[in-house]
Amino acid sequence: MILRHPEWLALLPVLLLGGWLLPRTGLFRPLRLLLIALLTLALADPLWRRLQDGIDLWVLLDSSVSAEQPMARGLSEWEALLEKHRGGNDRLFYLNYASEVMRRGAQGAELYDRNRHSTQTGQAVTQALTLARREGVGKPARILVFTDGYSTEPLTGIAEKLAGSSVELDYRLVREPGTVDFNLAALNLPSRTQPAEPFMIEVEVRGGRDGRVPLSILRDGREMKRSEVELRQGVGRLRLADRLSKAGVARYEAVILPQEDAHPGNNRHEAMIEVSGGPRVLLLTSYLDDPVASVLERQGFSLDVETALRGLSPGRLAGVKCVILNNVPAFELPAEFLRALNFFVRDQGGSLLMAGGRKSFAAGGYFESSIDPLIPVSMEMKQEHRRLMTALAIVMDRSGSMGMTAANGFTKMQLADEGAGNAIRFLGPQDLLTVFAVDSSAHVMVPLQQVGPNRGKMESAVRRIESSGGGIYVYEGLKAAWDSLKLSPAGQRHIILFSDAADSEEPGDYTKLIDEILAGGGTVSVIALGTRSDADAGLLEDIAKRGKGRLFFTDNAEDLPSIFSQETVAVARSAFIAEPVKSRQAPGWLEVSSQPMEWPAEVDGYNLSYLKDWASQALVALDEYKAPLVALGQRGVGRTAAVCMPLGGEHSSRLRAWPHYGDFLQTLVRWLMGAPLPPGVGLKHRIEGRQMFLDLLHDDEWEPRLQAKPPRILMAHGDDAAAAHEVAWERLSPGHYQASVTLNEGEMVRGAVQLGGTALSFGPTILGGSAEWAFEESRVEDLRRTSAASGGRELLDLSQAWRNPKTPRLASLRPLLLLTALLLFLVDALVTRTGWTTPLRAWEGWRFWEPQARAAGEMSRKHRERLRESPGARMTGPFVESGLKDEQAEPGADADRRSRFARAKKKP
């Protein structure tokens, strides 16, 4: 604590001397003495230190692709200037950001290309505030952002967060010097068409100068036209016609290829068109000649058969009413397609049928997958159904990239640790487990041991694995895992390799090592964090293929816990019963058809599972498990079914020889597709700019139903069904509802209008172009407003980055002292007026006022004796109440008062 005006302390001895010379003032009473001390201290204005010396400067570096070149040119100079003007007590921190935020300096903490296609400035500022609070230790903080200003997200609420933390936001705009830029402004085509109906495609190109610009137009990834667009006054257009004969969704893409261009990122645009063709069945199968396809085609179904599973996208669901998964493993289906099935069934009124086989249900990796909640049977393990002893080795990537934060706030390493913990949870007590954490070498985190007595210690050990920097040496991890497993007595040995698809290093002679693993009865599966287009994806794919295991790709770290669970269940339990089993019917078939079914007496095998509480079963196995063979149920406004027997391939001969095989399939599929929507209602959607408008039109017969239960419209952005939200309708006129929603560029949108128990689906549709290259000036103004609201500004002189914030480092204690002095003054006045003896007033231990206190006590004693001797006096507590009348007590005063009153009355 320091004093701003210490000279006022000289007043204290003067006041004490005055109190000594004038004892009648009573300054030496404790209350008054304390009051004088407080007032003197308040005049001296004491200050206490709220913040330490120095400043913490958090520098945010825009690492997105649109700012890459200007940032690279000036970064070294800016760093030198900041370091030059840094004070002795100042601290400097750097954060790189794009779609994710990474603290610079950690080994392996670079942002990969897949994370650099958006500019999340708001997320970066929020992360910097969190770190500043955690590491500030009483120091003031500032934030300085180097960016082009074109954030891909609004900075809503950031100014309030900055104000609440008393942190000022400065910025430095980083731009390319003036160059010529061409951009593909629009790709226009209708949102829906009929098969074989021609439609018009229009492309608009803008540029900084006139001339001819090369243009290429692609349909579903294949080039359909190459031409040139002539720009006049900075604008050029090209029109062409096209037609599509097959129902579904087509994706168009337009690309310009100018010779000179400042920003190649805005040279493409895409759009989608739906070809309506009635409700269809989408059959995803692993069989080249699937018997299900021939049966359904003979029954008149509109059928699409797909065996190239990796190319599936959520757009493939447009116009589809039923999806059949016929013995296809989960890891071969794109994660975004599997996630899209949830919205497709629950909200769009679609349906899902899963058929059995060695690549289906739990054996196919569907346990705890995104569609597990849709399937009417449960795939959890029970102790009596496990295989013989399994020895499992988990090789964990703990390189620097694993320290990056995912969208849910956890690091990738923490989510992978959670996945390894799930694997331990699903192993049996007799199984063996070992875990290695790998960077440039393999580190044993859990030695090979039995799970049963050590399960808790194992889970605790794997959840403490942290990212340590560097890359992952794949060969070292695989070799350490196999050296541990090959001597185990387990009947099955399996390795799970978890690695970053963009940072898997030093594979060594992995082919020879995998041959040795296979010869020793082992297998290898790979969980790859990233996409198939990443730099090391081919290596990881080859490891899984050679290792006779499964391969999972995901660029969403939040999926890791469920993927580890899927793989462990597929390895550790006997999910397929490969023996003939008798069957009997169950009452659930009556929900499908009123006609009874003559079921086969015996089937060749089935996937072991258990009926969920919301589902019904139509056929049951007559073995010790009494497991369902056919189950069905309702999910949202859609329906799902599980046929746990193989419908094709091995273990299906008895079922395919069943005389009612075709009747069973077509009846079940028709029930899944549901009844057609009653006539008299329709839905149209169109895009104008960034707004999508939905128009619901209906006739008078629908009016009472919609008044009793208004229609609901649900929208899903991207492939995340969990983020689906409801949009409000506006009733424009009788029979006409309208709604609108703002679209984000490059984001696919699907939706459904629910009318009671049915639904009208629309989409997918997309607003083409990349928001990263949109260069909207409104985003720059948003940054300026946020900075100004926090007290910051645009910095042209980087020496100003270290200026003191407006938040004072020292706080005055004067208000508190004055308030305390006021309270003491009121207490002293109360004591003086009432004569109340307080402990302070009764304290006479100081010799300074002992004579004055003795004299005052003598006077008080004589006064009480006089009052006690008066007629009618009585004691009231510690006080004496006088019995004298007013005129007896003070006759002169009363007469004088009456005389003055009489004189006043005589005055005119």
Side-chain angles (χ1 to χ4, degrees):
M1 185 175 69
I2 62 175
L3 300 177
R4 181 176 292 175
H5 303 291
E7 62 270 16
W8 282 103
L9 294 180
L11 183 62
L12 185 59
V14 175
L15 293 174
L16 293 177
L17 180 61
W20 173 260
L21 297 176
L22 300 173
R24 297 181 63 183
T25 59
L27 291 183
F28 284 94
R29 293 179 183 174
L31 282 177
R32 294 184 182 180
L33 190 62
L34 184 58
L35 180 60
I36 290 172
L38 289 176
L39 290 174
T40 305
L41 190 59
L43 290 172
D45 195 6
L47 305 174
W48 66 281
R49 182 174 295 277
R50 297 177 63 243
L51 298 174
Q52 297 180 8
D53 292 333
I55 293 175
D56 284 350
L57 181 61
W58 293 85
V59 180
L60 308 183
L61 303 174
D62 186 348
S63 302
S64 61
V65 290
S66 64
E68 180 178 14
Q69 293 184 5
M71 287 291 294
R73 278 196 296 269
L75 183 58
S76 59
E77 178 185 353
W78 302 328
E79 290 177 344
L81 288 172
L82 290 174
E83 192 66 35
K84 176 182 177 181
H85 295 94
R86 183 163 68 128
N89 294 318
D90 297 334
R91 297 191 299 175
L92 183 60
F93 304 92
Y94 287 97
L95 296 178
N96 295 326
Y97 78 95
S99 60
E100 295 179 330
V101 184
M102 283 292 296
R103 187 163 179 171
R104 203 177 73 173
Q107 191 177 8
E110 66 274 6
L111 291 169
Y112 299 119
D113 285 342
R114 66 173 181 267
N115 301 321
R116 299 175 57 233
H117 291 278
S118 65
T119 307
Q120 305 285 342
T121 304
Q123 177 183 339
V125 173
T126 302
Q127 182 79 359
L129 289 174
T130 302
L131 293 172
R133 283 193 296 267
R134 184 188 306 166
E135 302 184 17
V137 195
K139 280 193 176 184
R142 303 188 68 87
I143 297 177
L144 172 59
V145 184
F146 288 91
T147 178
D148 58 7
Y150 300 115
S151 174
T152 55
E153 63 171 359
L155 301 181
T156 306
I158 299 300
E160 290 77 7
K161 292 181 180 179
L162 290 165
S165 301
S166 300
V167 175
E168 298 175 7
L169 173 66
D170 297 324
Y171 64 95
R172 175 78 172 261
L173 291 181
V174 181
R175 301 287 181 86
E176 285 278 9
T179 54
V180 177
D181 180 45
F182 294 92
N183 69 88
L184 208 156
L187 172 61
N188 299 318
L189 66 160
S191 59
R192 181 177 295 179
T193 187
Q194 297 295 322
E197 178 183 7
F199 57 90
M200 184 68 67
I201 302 173
E202 182 183 64
V203 180
E204 180 179 327
V205 180
R206 296 181 178 270
R209 67 184 179 202
D210 292 349
R212 302 181 72 85
V213 178
L215 169 70
S216 177
I217 299 178
L218 298 87
R219 180 178 62 203
D220 292 332
R222 296 183 178 181
E223 187 175 68
M224 59 173 291
K225 185 175 181 62
R226 181 178 289 269
S227 181
E228 288 186 341
V229 180
E230 185 174 356
L231 271 65
R232 295 179 179 177
Q233 297 182 351
V235 181
R237 292 182 177 86
L238 177 70
R239 296 180 178 89
L240 69 153
D242 196 16
R243 68 177 68 197
L244 299 169
S245 58
K246 190 176 180 180
V249 171
R251 189 169 190 148
Y252 287 84
E253 183 179 0
V255 181
I256 58 174
L257 303 168
Q259 293 182 353
E260 180 184 355
D261 192 22
H263 303 296
N266 53 17
N267 291 354
R268 60 180 297 278
H269 211 289
E270 58 184 340
M272 302 180 78
I273 183 171
E274 179 184 352
V275 184
S276 303
R280 306 188 318 281
V281 177
L282 176 61
L283 174 60
L284 309 180
T285 178
S286 61
Y287 305 119
L288 295 178
D289 186 15
D290 195 324
V292 175
S294 58
V295 168
L296 295 181
E297 285 174 345
R298 286 197 302 268
Q299 296 294 333
F301 286 90
S302 177
L303 183 68
D304 292 343
V305 181
E306 192 65 70
T307 56
L309 305 179
R310 293 180 180 177
L312 290 171
S313 67
R316 197 71 172 80
L317 297 173
V320 172
K321 196 64 177 175
C322 178
V323 175
I324 301 176
L325 303 177
N326 194 8
N327 197 30
V328 293
F331 66 87
E332 289 190 5
L333 296 172
E336 61 271 16
F337 180 81
L338 282 176
R339 287 194 291 264
L341 288 174
N342 207 339
F343 184 79
F344 168 73
V345 172
R346 292 179 182 272
D347 300 306
Q348 291 186 309
S351 57
L352 176 66
L353 169 61
M354 179 173 286
R358 290 189 178 275
K359 299 178 182 179
S360 190
F361 294 98
Y366 289 99
F367 177 70
E368 288 199 355
S369 68
S370 55
I371 65 170
D372 191 354
L374 299 176
I375 302 173
V377 294
S378 173
M379 295 171 279
E380 85 275 7
M381 287 188 297
K382 293 187 177 180
Q383 181 60 36
E384 62 271 17
H385 304 153
R386 298 180 186 270
R387 292 178 176 175
L388 297 177
M389 183 189 299
T390 297
L392 178 65
I394 302 177
V395 179
M396 304 279 288
D397 177 358
R398 71 169 187 182
S399 61
S401 61
M402 293 298 116
M404 299 175 69
T405 304
N408 61 0
F410 294 96
T411 66
K412 295 176 180 179
M413 192 75 255
Q414 290 172 326
L415 293 168
D417 293 347
E418 179 68 22
N422 286 355
I424 297 171
R425 180 162 54 94
F426 290 121
L427 288 172
Q430 80 280 7
D431 294 331
L432 303 175
L433 175 75
T434 181
V435 179
F436 293 87
V438 183
D439 38 46
S440 58
S441 59
H443 308 273
V444 180
M445 307 306 295
V446 176
L448 186 67
Q449 56 189 301
Q450 199 170 45
V451 173
N454 304 297
R455 194 184 302 271
K457 292 188 295 183
M458 289 178 170
E459 290 193 36
S460 177
V462 300
R463 294 181 195 278
R464 292 197 303 268
I465 300 176
E466 297 180 349
S467 172
S468 63
I472 173 175
Y473 284 26
V474 173
Y475 181 84
E476 296 295 329
L478 291 176
K479 187 175 187 309
W482 179 240
D483 288 344
S484 180
L485 290 185
K486 64 184 178 181
L487 300 178
S488 71
Q492 182 182 12
R493 303 177 181 94
H494 186 69
I495 299 173
I496 299 177
L497 170 63
F498 165 66
S499 184
D500 193 325
D503 191 26
S504 298
E505 304 175 13
E506 301 296 332
D509 192 2
Y510 71 94
T511 57
K512 182 178 179 181
L513 176 61
I514 292 178
D515 289 341
E516 180 185 341
I517 293 173
L518 294 177
T523 52
V524 182
S525 291
V526 175
I527 299 175
L529 185 57
T531 65
R532 294 181 184 272
S533 60
D534 285 335
D536 298 318
L539 167 65
L540 299 180
E541 189 170 358
D542 192 50
I543 290 174
K545 183 178 180 180
R546 290 176 180 272
K548 307 298 182 184
R550 286 156 290 276
L551 174 64
F552 300 85
F553 274 99
T554 179
D555 56 358
N556 183 5
E558 297 176 29
D559 293 337
L560 290 175
S562 61
I563 293 176
F564 272 92
S565 300
Q566 296 168 34
E567 174 63 12
T568 305
V569 169
V571 171
R573 67 166 290 186
S574 180
F576 188 82
I577 306 297
E579 300 174 357
V581 61
K582 296 185 180 300
S583 65
R584 66 171 176 83
Q585 67 177 7
W589 182 254
L590 296 177
E591 299 179 19
V592 177
S593 173
S594 58
Q595 300 296 322
M597 178 68 65
E598 295 182 11
W599 296 100
E602 193 175 51
V603 297
D604 297 299
Y606 71 97
N607 293 83
L608 181 60
S609 56
Y610 311 95
L611 189 71
K612 291 183 178 178
D613 54 6
W614 52 266
S616 303
Q617 55 188 1
L619 189 66
V620 181
L622 290 179
D623 56 8
E624 66 270 29
Y625 305 129
K626 301 296 186 292
L629 298 177
V630 177
L632 45 97
Q634 188 89 20
R635 293 281 83 187
V637 295
R639 294 170 174 174
T640 63
V643 178
C644 300
M645 310 164 288
L647 295 177
E650 60 176 344
H651 305 292
S652 67
S653 56
R654 285 182 173 85
L655 191 63
R656 285 187 287 116
W658 176 35
H660 300 286
Y661 178 78
D663 185 39
F664 162 70
L665 283 178
Q666 67 94 10
T667 303
L668 181 60
V669 172
R670 291 192 191 280
W671 175 82
L672 286 169
M673 298 179 71
L677 188 70
V681 64
L683 179 69
K684 297 192 304 181
H685 69 278
R686 67 187 190 280
I687 297 177
E688 296 180 4
R690 295 186 61 186
Q691 293 293 122
M692 183 172 71
F693 294 91
L694 299 166
D695 293 278
L696 179 66
L697 306 172
H698 62 86
D699 58 19
D700 295 339
E701 294 183 3
W702 278 87
E703 190 69 29
R705 281 186 277 181
L706 295 181
Q707 287 182 353
K709 188 175 182 179
R712 297 179 65 219
I713 176 170
L714 296 167
M715 303 279 294
H717 297 260
D719 59 337
D720 189 2
H725 62 95
E726 190 167 352
V727 180
W729 285 107
E730 180 183 2
R731 192 169 185 266
L732 298 182
S733 62
H736 187 189
Y737 288 83
Q738 188 178 86
S740 65
V741 62
T742 302
L743 302 181
N744 297 320
E745 294 184 13
E747 184 178 62
M748 186 182 63
V749 176
R750 297 171 293 137
V753 178
Q754 295 183 359
L755 305 167
T758 60
L760 284 169
S761 63
F762 62 88
T765 188
I766 191 170
L767 187 63
S770 171
E772 174 64 18
W773 297 97
F775 299 139
E776 297 182 18
E777 288 299 326
S778 61
R779 300 298 193 196
V780 182
E781 291 301 318
D782 194 11
L783 177 61
R784 288 195 174 102
R785 287 193 299 268
T786 302
S787 174
S790 71
R793 63 192 182 193
E794 182 177 1
L795 288 187
L796 301 179
D797 181 7
L798 290 182
S799 65
Q800 296 297 310
W802 297 103
R803 68 187 188 277
N804 283 322
K806 296 179 181 179
T807 304
R809 296 178 187 270
L810 301 174
S812 175
L813 292 176
R814 179 180 286 175
L816 180 61
L817 293 174
L818 291 176
L819 179 61
T820 306
L822 176 61
L823 294 176
L824 287 177
F825 175 78
L826 295 176
V827 171
D828 185 71
L830 177 66
V831 170
T832 302
R833 299 294 295 176
T834 62
W836 175 47
T837 303
T838 66
L840 284 175
R841 189 167 181 177
W843 183 26
E844 297 179 356
W846 285 9
R847 297 178 60 89
F848 294 108
W849 68 72
E850 186 174 356
Q852 291 87 341
R854 188 180 298 112
E858 183 66 22
M859 292 175 63
S860 177
R861 182 182 61 80
K862 291 180 179 180
H863 181 65
R864 286 197 300 272
E865 289 178 354
R866 178 175 173 269
L867 291 178
R868 192 180 294 113
E869 292 172 356
S870 64
R874 65 180 185 274
M875 296 296 294
T876 304
F879 305 103
V880 179
E881 184 178 331
S882 174
L884 299 175
K885 301 296 183 181
D886 288 343
E887 58 272 16
Q888 291 176 319
E890 295 181 276
D894 188 54
D896 183 63
R897 184 168 59 254
R898 285 196 299 268
S899 174
R900 289 198 305 272
F901 179 71
R903 288 196 303 271
K905 289 179 62 180
K906 291 179 181 180
K907 290 183 179 182

